[in-house]
Amino acid sequence: MSMQGLLPEGHYAQCENGYRMHYLDEGEGEVVVFLHGSGPGASGHSNFKGNYPALVAAGYRCIVPDHIGYGFSDKPDDVDHPLSFFVECIRQTLAVAGVERCTLVGNSLGGAVAFGLALEHPALVEKLILMAPGGLSELAEYQAMPGMQKVFQVFGSGEAVTPAVMKDLFATGLMYDPKFATDELVAERMQIMQIMNGHVMKTMQVPVLVDRLPEIDCPVLGFWGMDERMMPESGILAMAKNLQHMRLILVSECGHWVMVEHEDMFNRACLDFLENG
């Protein structure tokens, strides 16, 4: 693994569908796959740099892909981005990496992709770890959330996104404590912003999956920050009432990124779940 600017560069999967996907692949053992969320300058490492190394140290093989349209993965501007496209790209990436069975860790968009993989490829998914996943509410409910409104305001203005604008978006839209909107985080995201074309965010389509959640038969660990400004709280009950084998952790003083704001607790809870279900 080498560095490209501020971010590590790992492996590339030439997928069956013709797209090239970037992913980090660290450690040995049972496989845990980290699926990042959407947003400006998003990448797998930037979302999970405080988490996957702890699991590698505990004896797991951690794969951290960049979704299609994000990070160092391909960024097509001539196709739409329904959830099925994200699922297809991750499934084909894991096939190239030789993964036949894994636990999926998904935040926001990554949580919706994890749902999609569990529904369409149940033999692949041993367990799910979800942090405020997408796919649980109607679009109008998302649009009413203050953090989401800020995202639309920033990206609907047509103006260039500056580091100050991005830092404010993270501090006030995605986090409870603004101290986690560090200059390092902003710089990492700005690096990817320079190569993003915006098409992925404009054409992303995530359906409401609530009615299909009872089909998921694997154990699930869920996290939800009680100061969430991006995802409607209706998602809490949607998961709790429709997922069959679930442990749900509600976290106070926490926004959209529990894995960032409560890193140590999150890592401990994940390791306990991986070992004990």
Side-chain angles (χ1 to χ4, degrees):
M1 184 173 64
S2 59
M3 296 297 292
Q4 182 172 324
L6 299 172
L7 296 167
E9 186 176 21
H11 304 269
Y12 288 90
Q14 188 62 51
C15 294
E16 185 180 346
N17 61 12
Y19 296 105
R20 194 173 78 141
M21 297 282 290
H22 174 257
Y23 65 100
L24 305 177
D25 190 346
E26 299 292 320
E28 297 179 356
E30 296 180 16
V31 180
V32 181
V33 178
F34 289 79
L35 302 173
H36 68 82
S38 181
S43 69
H45 174 78
S46 184
N47 264 203
F48 296 116
K49 62 187 177 184
N51 314 117
Y52 74 86
L55 271 63
V56 169
Y60 291 90
R61 177 188 177 193
C62 291
I63 295 180
V64 189
D66 294 335
H67 287 304
I68 191 75
Y70 292 96
F72 296 140
S73 292
D74 278 352
K75 299 168 183 62
D77 60 4
D78 57 350
V79 294
D80 287 345
H81 290 68
L83 180 63
S84 58
F85 185 36
F86 291 103
V87 170
E88 172 187 291
C89 289
I90 294 297
R91 179 66 190 96
Q92 293 183 11
T93 299
L94 295 180
V96 171
V99 176
E100 297 180 354
R101 188 82 167 154
C102 64
T103 292
L104 299 174
V105 182
N107 173 237
S108 198
L109 169 63
V113 175
F115 281 144
L117 285 162
L119 289 166
E120 302 305 324
H121 306 282
L124 171 70
V125 181
E126 183 172 359
K127 296 177 182 177
L128 291 175
I129 299 174
L130 305 168
M131 304 87 82
L136 300 177
S137 302
E138 299 286 350
L139 179 60
E141 295 179 83
Y142 290 119
Q143 291 174 331
M145 295 298 292
M148 199 67 75
Q149 289 177 353
K150 191 142 197 172
V151 170
F152 289 133
Q153 176 187 346
V154 168
F155 291 97
S157 67
E159 298 180 5
V161 178
T162 65
V165 168
M166 187 175 287
K167 187 168 190 172
D168 177 69
L169 173 63
F170 295 154
T172 63
L174 281 82
M175 300 172 173
Y176 169 79
D177 191 336
K179 76 178 183 182
F180 292 101
T182 62
D183 291 340
E184 177 189 15
L185 171 64
V186 171
E188 290 172 352
R189 305 277 292 220
M190 287 300 298
Q191 176 180 332
I192 299 301
M193 275 292 290
Q194 307 310 310
I195 56 175
M196 280 185 69
N197 57 32
H199 184 72
V200 59
M201 294 185 66
K202 293 177 183 176
T203 64
M204 187 169 58
Q205 304 160 33
V206 178
V208 179
L209 300 169
V210 175
D211 290 344
R212 295 200 62 192
L213 296 188
E215 299 174 34
I216 296 175
D217 195 40
C218 67
V220 182
L221 173 62
F223 294 88
W224 201 284
M226 297 312 295
D227 298 283
E228 173 73 58
R229 299 183 183 118
M230 297 290 290
M231 298 297 190
E233 288 186 359
S234 58
I236 298 173
L237 285 180
M239 286 198 296
K241 289 188 173 184
N242 291 284
L243 289 166
Q244 300 180 57
H245 312 292
M246 184 177 192
R247 181 196 308 180
L248 180 60
I249 300 176
L250 304 180
V251 187
S252 64
E253 299 181 335
C254 181
H256 193 49
W257 285 344
V258 61
M259 69 285 191
V260 173
E261 293 197 83
H262 296 271
E263 179 182 296
D264 291 340
M265 180 278 291
F266 176 83
N267 293 345
R268 289 195 306 271
C270 288
L271 287 169
D272 176 73
F273 178 68
L274 287 167
E275 294 174 12
N276 303 307

